Amino acid sequence: MTDFRSVFGADPDGVWAAPGRVNLIGEHTDYNDGFVLPIALPHTAKATVRRRDDDLLRLYSEQGDGRVTEVGPGGPTPGAVAGWAAYPAAVVWALREAGHPVGGLDVHIDSDVPTGAGLSSSAALECVLAAAADGLYGLGLAPAELALIAQRAENAFVGVPCGVMDQMASLCCAEGGALFLDTRDLSQRQVPLDLAARGLRLLVVDTRVKHDLGDGAYAGLRAGCERAAALLGLPALRDLPLAALDGESARLPAELRPLVRHVVTENARVEQAVALLDAGDPAGLGPILTAGHASLRDDFRVSCPETDLAVSAAVAAGALGARMTGGGFGGSVVALVAEEARQPVAEAVTAAFAAAGYGEPELFTALPSAGARRLA
Ligand code: GLA
């Protein structure tokens, strides 16, 4: 364990934190202009930061290789920074590209967001940098503006064509609630999610199957959705109403139909979930989560044997519902459980993994936590 002073030999100007997220429902809808419903995790990326008099960017991570990555002068350029440092460097690049006067920074990162687990560890890194740079350089940008900067950083610098959900979740979620976000216009509402008051818990199962959105599969799915929307003459799949799904999809090539079905039914599931939460019935979310998983498994085809097993074992052991969360191809499952079922469900999932010969999963209870903030 190091601290800012021992790495950079000076006192920091401030400390910021930005969380990872669990998406409750609304998967692969964000790049289709649709709806999402994430919560922020208690796990955060923390950045202890000092403003510099020059343009230099010096980055150190507790989870890195013990070396300081130095970028500049001239600033970061896409392709020139690799590994974890690409995410914070990308944000400084995107801020400068957008014309914001951001000078040099010394940055000490310490993150406990599990990496490669579909819990947005990279968005947490991006967003903590965006919030810190905004604070130290007095940019006065709104959280949603910072989220768009962080998304552009990931799209154009890191090279992952992600939507805006993870960055919006990390910057805009509030403690005790889920963020109901319309990704078309970024209009948002915090939906109260007091699970404890209803005797409920959200159990997260990190399957430890590392997911990597940079490998082309995610980009391929996004391209498929965009092609389908273009063939239907729509700005985005968001614009296809559920009632028109069957009739309209018949006009599409067979391989695109399941993608469209997932996106259109998933948007409807988000709206149903929000209606249930507004009506004070969070337990009603269970079947919606499980239906969402079936759609990701059978139609969108982004689950894997480990996430499928975690879902089926959790539901068989009494979870009200469960689904994979995040981009897929591994990563995590979220299960809604009654408080007294938490332990039996956790044990059943762990036992099912052992019986299948899979590595041991990591389990924790997720509490809807605060979005990015200044700590000191
Ligand atoms: C990843 C992306 C998000 C979103 C999800 C799937 O987390 O970063 O933008 O597309 O996958 O819902």
Side-chain angles (χ1 to χ4, degrees), residues 76-167:
T77 45
V81 189
W84 68 269
Y87 296 95
V91 170
V92 170
W93 170 82
L95 281 165
R96 289 178 182 167
E97 275 270 308
H100 300 296
V102 175
L105 294 167
D106 287 339
V107 184
H108 176 281
I109 302 267
D110 190 6
S111 175
D112 64 355
V113 185
T115 55
L119 301 172
S120 294
S121 60
S122 11
L125 261 183
E126 293 158 6
C127 294
V128 78
L129 241 286
D134 179 72
L136 283 186
Y137 281 96
L139 306 180
L141 295 171
E145 291 176 294
L146 293 176
L148 289 171
I149 293 277
Q151 183 200 14
R152 170 151 161 73
E154 183 147 351
N155 290 169
F157 192 104
V158 181
V160 177
C162 64
V164 78
M165 166 171 70
D166 304 344
Q167 293 77 12

Side-chain angles (χ1 to χ4, degrees), residues 7 45 84 93 116 119 192 202 213 222 234 241 250 288 310 336 361-362 368:
V7 177
W84 68 269
W93 170 82
L119 301 172
L202 277 176
L213 296 185
R222 179 172 182 158
L234 299 169
I288 298 178
L336 181 68
E362 181 87 27

Side-chain angles (χ1 to χ4, degrees), residues 234-358:
L234 299 169
L237 289 183
R238 145 73 176 279
D239 299 298
L240 182 59
L242 186 58
L245 174 61
D246 290 344
E248 288 295 290
S249 337
R251 298 168 44 206
L252 291 171
E255 76 274 12
L256 294 181
R257 287 179 211 155
L259 297 185
V260 175
R261 187 161 56 224
H262 167 73
V263 173
V264 172
T265 58
E266 184 80 348
N267 276 325
R269 280 186 287 273
V270 178
E271 293 188 289
Q272 274 172 33
V274 170
L276 284 166
L277 291 179
D278 283 340
D281 180 17
L285 245 52
I288 298 178
L289 300 186
T290 309
H293 185 76
S295 181
L296 288 164
R297 181 191 60 211
D298 303 335
D299 279 344
F300 221 67
R301 295 175 170 266
V302 291
S303 74
C304 66
E306 291 85 350
T307 48
D308 290 344
L309 181 64
V311 167
S312 58
V315 171
L320 300 168
R323 61 182 284 275
M324 54 148 277
T325 184
F329 314 107
S332 297
V333 160
V334 58
L336 181 68
V337 296
E339 201 181 333
E340 60 278 10
R342 189 206 174 280
Q343 195 57 26
V345 168
E347 284 167 13
V349 171
T350 305
F353 269 54
Y358 297 155

Side-chain angles (χ1 to χ4, degrees), residues 35 168 179-189:
F35 304 117
M168 283 295 288
L179 179 75
F180 177 32
L181 173 70
D182 180 338
T183 63
R184 168 160 277 166
D185 62 6
L186 301 191
S187 58
Q188 48 177 295
R189 179 160 73 84

Side-chain angles (χ1 to χ4, degrees), residues 21 23 26-31 162-166 213 218 326-327:
R21 62 98 189 91
N23 188 23
E27 220 66 84
H28 291 276
T29 48
D30 63 350
Y31 51 81
C162 64
V164 78
M165 166 171 70
D166 304 344
L213 296 185
Y218 181 92

Side-chain angles (χ1 to χ4, degrees), residues 43-93:
H43 308 69
T44 61
K46 269 198 211 76
T48 306
V49 187
R50 188 174 76 97
R51 208 177 134 140
R52 297 177 55 87
D53 296 333
D54 56 20
D55 270 357
L56 212 61
L57 190 57
R58 293 197 297 171
L59 303 163
Y60 179 90
S61 167
E62 276 299 308
Q63 289 71 43
D65 60 6
R67 279 183 300 195
V68 173
T69 301
E70 207 168 291
V71 188
T77 45
V81 189
W84 68 269
Y87 296 95
V91 170
V92 170
W93 170 82

